[in-house]
Amino acid sequence: MNCPQCGAASQEGRDECPACGIVFARWRPRERKPPPPAEKRRTSSADARLKYWVAVPVASMLVLFAVMWAAAVRQRDRHLLAQASRAAVEAGGQAEGDTAAAAAGAPAEEEIREQIEACSYFQDDLTVTLPKTVSPGLMRLTAESSPGVVLAANMGLIEFDPPFDASQAARYLPDPTRPGQTSVVTLGTAAAGLPIFDAGNEYRMELGRRRVETMTNIYRSPSKVTAVYRWTVGAPELVNFAPDHQFRTGGADFANTAGGWALTRVWINTYSAARIICSGE
């Protein structure tokens, strides 16, 4: 006789298995549960797929939100740190520097402005001329040699008779079918009240001198003063006609020397680096 549970051979007449210890009289075979109906299995599978397709987008959105929130927090913290640093410099170091520098006779804002504008870069009168006739067929070449023509046309300072679209000047090429065509340039209504004059065979635009428009910052210490400025011209409406008009910011340094405060340099900012326009002795 073999044990119905473990299969071990047992001696006849024993009431229990010597190998696994079950009592033969109490042993009953384990009933197997019947498999769930096919319909229920399909429902469970569909529910699992539905939960998956719902859970994945929700989890992705939560992860994206967490990443964006963390980035916003870092950006806010950097901004607050930068503000705190600037405030510390202005409220602490600059306050002490102002006291020490003022006691040593450091230049005030008006004196800084005067010394910057004393540089030759600010002393030259700026004049731009515009032709009285243009050739639409040669407008591309005209625009390259006198870009002020296109700017003046776009601002409504000049008009063309017969008219053409000067804003498309870069697309114009010499037109061999219209070699002699020209347009007369006249002053537009937007030129009224501006320093634009008829100079015989051309129009003359008097921009005036460059001048310091604003002092955006002045940093002071007992040994050095640095001023950051923005310049314009005497006729600010025409500032975009000025040479270097795209570089309208710069700065100036003053040093506390044995002989007193002295201008050391004035510069304008360019795309690549600062360009010195004036140096102290």
Side-chain angles (χ1 to χ4, degrees):
M1 174 181 174
N2 294 334
C3 177
Q5 176 163 296
C6 66
S10 60
Q11 296 179 4
E12 293 292 339
R14 286 182 175 272
D15 294 329
E16 61 182 28
C17 176
C20 63
I22 70 165
V23 178
F24 297 136
R26 297 178 182 176
W27 182 83
R28 294 288 184 275
R30 182 177 297 176
E31 296 181 359
R32 293 185 178 180
K33 294 182 179 180
E39 182 179 352
K40 185 174 182 179
R41 289 200 300 271
R42 287 195 298 269
T43 302
S44 300
S45 177
D47 290 344
R49 287 196 299 271
L50 177 61
K51 291 179 181 179
Y52 173 80
W53 289 113
V54 171
V56 169
V58 171
S60 300
M61 291 178 63
L62 291 175
V63 171
L64 179 61
F65 174 78
V67 171
M68 294 176 62
W69 180 81
V73 170
R74 287 195 297 270
Q75 180 67 22
R76 182 204 62 188
D77 291 344
R78 285 195 295 267
H79 179 68
L80 293 176
L81 180 60
Q83 282 187 328
S85 299
R86 287 194 296 269
V89 170
E90 295 174 358
Q94 185 170 332
E96 296 176 2
D98 284 345
T99 302
E109 179 176 336
E110 190 57 36
E111 184 179 355
I112 292 174
R113 184 188 303 270
E114 291 177 359
Q115 294 205 43
I116 292 175
E117 293 181 348
C119 295
S120 59
Y121 185 78
F122 290 86
Q123 292 295 307
D124 297 332
D125 288 320
L126 304 178
T127 301
V128 175
T129 59
L130 301 172
K132 284 195 168 184
T133 59
V134 295
S135 172
L138 296 173
M139 191 59 195
R140 180 174 180 176
L141 303 179
T142 304
E144 292 174 356
S145 60
S146 181
V149 172
V150 178
L151 177 59
N154 291 339
M155 292 177 61
L157 302 178
I158 58 174
E159 298 173 351
F160 304 109
D161 185 22
F164 67 95
D165 187 0
S167 65
Q168 302 297 319
R171 300 183 182 180
Y172 282 92
L173 293 173
D175 186 352
T177 64
R178 298 183 298 172
Q181 182 184 7
T182 60
S183 289
V184 176
V185 179
T186 59
L187 294 180
T189 56
L194 296 178
I196 304 176
F197 309 100
D198 189 335
N201 59 348
E202 62 186 10
Y203 295 106
R204 187 169 306 227
M205 306 173 66
E206 302 289 348
L207 279 61
R209 297 181 180 182
R210 297 181 182 89
R211 60 180 178 83
V212 175
E213 182 179 26
T214 56
M215 288 281 189
T216 56
N217 281 297
I218 300 178
Y219 304 98
R220 304 179 188 272
S221 74
S223 60
K224 182 179 179 180
V225 172
T226 298
V228 180
Y229 67 87
R230 179 178 178 85
W231 63 263
T232 185
V233 293
E237 301 87 351
L238 304 178
V239 68
N240 288 331
F241 290 92
D244 296 333
H245 67 89
Q246 68 273 37
F247 309 126
R248 293 178 54 199
T249 62
D253 285 335
F254 294 81
N256 192 358
T257 67
W261 287 92
L263 176 69
T264 56
R265 62 174 184 165
V266 180
W267 71 88
I268 61 171
N269 298 317
T270 68
Y271 291 133
S272 58
R275 177 163 67 91
I276 305 298
I277 58 174
C278 188
S279 297
E281 297 180 357

